[in-house]
Amino acid sequence: SVASAFVARRLMATADAPGARTAGPRVVMDHIVYVVPSVEEGIATFEALTGVKPIIGGRHEGLGTHNALVSLEDGAYLELLARDPSQPQVDARWLGADAPAPKFTTFCARAADSATLEEVGTAVREGAGYDIGPVEMKSRNTPEGKLLKWRLSARNHSLGYQQLPGGGIVPFLVDWSPNELPHPSETSPKGCTLVGLRAAHPDPASVERVLLAMGAEAFFQAPGDGGAVAGGGFVARADAPRLEMILQTPKGLVTLA
């Protein structure tokens, strides 16, 4: 696919870049979080832009959110996240749910190959001094009433949009090993693929250090025209953090930020 070819190119390009990571566990894309004003509005807007209609995912009980999902294929998916009107008592802030919507707030990665979430956490702590936080069991019911289960390291991403690590450019981590159901990328509507991410930050080196320790640099296009930049950097410099995703869709390339 376009996404697979892009990732392969970035892996080759970054393997020899100054400061590039050469060993240890790596991660692959699991899902992208796009905060929307409401699930209904998010579904309608996304379908109008791409030609693909997301489906309802479920409620995050106690976290104040619910979602809709669309597959990005290659084991990844897009989550349209919104505050859940049925949980008005919860101050929904996790994953940047309090951001001015619509907004690409952050994304989630999972350990690749036979690596574990804990091994990735150790590599990031030792390589970049970043603590991924505790690993917690999470679950939600699907619309069919089945229980979707996963292990999640997202405590650092639960303090609100303004407090997201690296402005959201540093991902949270998931482990689906407790789950007995198909991965959401398999059950969500298909037709879109992830071409890549672009990121900008006031201190690019600080977030690149963490991403390299995770082995997550291959997710990102280089700033500017997509070519190599001095020092092999892949996060642009800007006054404020910014994330963009580039999707290949039935209606052509779509960029969401």
Side-chain angles (χ1 to χ4, degrees):
S1 71
V2 174
S4 296
F6 168 75
V7 169
R9 289 197 300 273
R10 287 296 299 149
L11 281 171
M12 289 187 288
T14 55
D16 299 321
R21 180 177 173 280
T22 57
R26 65 181 184 89
V27 296
V28 296
M29 179 64 71
D30 190 78
H31 67 276
I32 287 174
V33 178
Y34 192 63
V35 170
V36 293
S38 71
V39 163
E40 295 77 15
E41 182 177 334
I43 289 174
T45 301
F46 189 86
E47 183 180 15
L49 284 172
T50 68
V52 177
K53 183 178 181 179
I55 59 167
I56 295 294
R59 301 170 68 250
H60 303 116
E61 191 66 43
L63 293 170
T65 56
H66 60 165
N67 63 18
L69 310 174
V70 63
S71 178
L72 298 178
E73 302 190 27
D74 294 321
Y77 66 98
L78 175 66
E79 175 181 27
L80 303 180
L81 185 73
R83 296 189 179 206
D84 181 3
S86 73
Q87 301 182 68
Q89 75 283 5
V90 180
D91 181 16
R93 301 171 65 83
W94 84 310
L95 310 185
D98 59 328
K103 176 71 70 174
F104 175 12
T105 58
T106 191
F107 65 100
C108 180
R110 64 180 186 272
D113 306 320
S114 58
T116 66
L117 192 156
E118 285 79 8
E119 288 170 342
V120 173
T122 297
V124 176
R125 184 174 62 252
E126 294 178 351
Y130 176 74
D131 185 353
I132 67 170
V135 179
E136 302 171 306
M137 280 295 304
K138 298 289 184 182
S139 65
R140 69 166 172 81
N141 286 315
T142 68
E144 297 76 31
K146 297 180 180 179
L147 190 64
L148 195 68
K149 297 184 291 185
W150 63 93
R151 298 170 68 236
L152 194 69
S153 177
R155 184 74 62 85
N156 297 342
H157 293 69
S158 300
L159 303 176
Y161 174 62
Q162 295 296 333
Q163 302 299 319
L164 288 171
I169 301 169
V170 172
F172 60 106
L173 301 172
V174 69
D175 167 24
W176 289 97
S177 62
N179 185 49
E180 298 176 356
L181 302 179
H183 187 265
S185 65
E186 300 174 34
T187 56
S188 303
K190 296 177 172 59
C192 297
T193 56
L194 176 63
V195 177
L197 307 181
R198 294 194 190 106
H201 192 273
D203 182 7
S206 67
V207 290
E208 286 181 349
R209 189 178 305 115
V210 179
L211 293 166
L212 284 164
M214 285 184 179
E217 68 275 14
F219 302 153
F220 294 87
Q221 290 187 347
D225 62 3
V229 293
F234 50 91
V235 176
R237 187 177 300 278
D239 291 338
R242 179 176 173 85
L243 272 169
E244 294 181 349
M245 69 182 98
I246 304 96
L247 305 179
Q248 182 68 56
T249 81
K251 292 191 175 183
L253 287 175
V254 172
T255 299
L256 297 174

